[in-house]
Amino acid sequence: QVQVVQSGAEVKKPGASVNLSCRTSGYNFALYNIHWVRQAPGQRPEWMGWIHGGSGDTKFSQNFQGRVTITKDTSANIAYLDLTSLTSEDTAVYYCARGGGFIDYWGQGTLVTVAS
Amino acid sequence: EIVLTQSPGTLSLSPGERATLSCRASQSVSNNYLAWYQQKPGQAPRLLIYAASSRATGIPDRFSGSGSGTDFTLTISRLESEDFAVYYCQQYGSSYTFGQGTKLEIK
């Protein structure tokens, strides 16, 4: 069965960067995108970007252009999210999820807290 | 960017009743690429419906989706206790955007 498992919670200071990982199993990693979606407390989910598990093509929301990088290790079925120049507004649960068009299987989420 | 507006913000119903949730898009959703998710506190969203009306794997048939263009509906035919949650619509026809959610609460 498809499984998506994310790295643990992070606490960062303003101005720092965070790197999150997303390990998948149970399907052909190279055939699907991995999306990153974040959700601030009490807010709707917000799509950040995706990477294709085979080609490595990426697409990002304009809201994060220049601050976000998504990479992958196809041999290990892992995707990574790097987010730079963190502010308190980046405090949220970050989800990775599998998707072709629609997004189907989601990880458990990683809480990132940005505080001085 | 396509803006999705959900209504009502909160829906108070009793188990066994029928729930109707609405999602309106600011412009036509390409290919009716509209999905519905259920989210419970502390959990990730769970895919219910994709392509406006197709049920995801393992989703009970009391959940159904309909609509096209700019107006979409999620219907839960007979509410069960585990259905009380927040529901989001999402479009994936032009980038990805989510509605603000409808909270379905027990009356």
Side-chain angles (χ1 to χ4, degrees):
Chain A
Q1 72 282 22
V2 176
Q3 292 193 324
V4 183
V5 179
Q6 300 184 230
S7 49
E10 302 266 7
V11 178
K12 295 292 182 181
K13 294 192 181 301
S17 300
V18 69
N19 176 266
L20 307 180
S21 68
C22 173
R23 182 182 298 270
T24 70
S25 61
Y27 72 98
N28 189 335
F29 184 82
L31 296 182
Y32 290 84
N33 296 334
I34 291 291
H35 296 259
W36 288 92
V37 177
R38 77 177 186 181
Q39 189 172 29
Q43 301 299 311
R44 74 186 76 185
E46 178 181 25
W47 178 75
M48 301 178 70
W50 57 251
I51 186 166
H52 189 271
S55 67
D57 288 346
T58 55
K59 183 174 181 181
F60 301 105
S61 165
Q62 289 189 341
N63 294 340
F64 299 97
Q65 290 279 7
R67 278 212 303 143
V68 66
T69 305
I70 301 176
T71 57
K72 66 178 177 71
D73 179 348
T74 304
S75 64
N77 296 342
I78 300 175
Y80 301 94
L81 173 77
D82 278 290
L83 186 62
T84 62
S85 304
L86 294 170
T87 72
S88 59
E89 295 187 349
D90 294 312
T91 293
V93 175
Y94 288 73
Y95 295 100
C96 65
R98 186 188 83 159
F102 57 89
I103 299 173
D104 50 10
Y105 291 93
W106 295 63
Q108 82 277 19
T110 297
L111 175 61
V112 175
T113 303
V114 183
S116 54
Chain B
E1 175 179 292
I2 296 178
V3 176
L4 299 178
T5 302
Q6 295 185 238
S7 61
T10 302
L11 187 56
S12 300
L13 293 170
S14 300
E17 291 192 295
R18 180 185 186 90
T20 303
L21 287 68
S22 175
C23 176
R24 176 162 290 177
S26 60
Q27 55 188 280
S28 185
V29 176
S30 176
N31 297 308
N32 295 325
Y33 283 165
L34 192 286
W36 289 93
Y37 296 89
Q38 176 194 71
Q39 189 175 34
K40 296 181 179 179
Q43 296 184 16
R46 173 193 181 199
L47 177 68
L48 301 173
I49 301 288
Y50 63 93
S53 60
S54 297
R55 259 189 310 276
T57 303
I59 300 303
D61 61 8
R62 65 180 182 274
F63 291 91
S64 63
S66 62
S68 64
T70 60
D71 289 295
F72 300 89
T73 301
L74 174 70
T75 302
I76 310 172
S77 58
R78 279 193 329 278
L79 286 167
E80 299 195 4
S81 57
E82 62 263 31
D83 298 337
F84 293 92
V86 178
Y87 291 82
Y88 294 100
C89 60
Q90 177 219 35
Q91 68 81 25
Y92 52 99
S94 173
S95 191
Y96 294 79
T97 52
F98 290 83
Q100 84 279 18
T102 289
K103 181 180 181 180
L104 179 56
E105 65 177 24
I106 299 177
K107 188 173 182 179

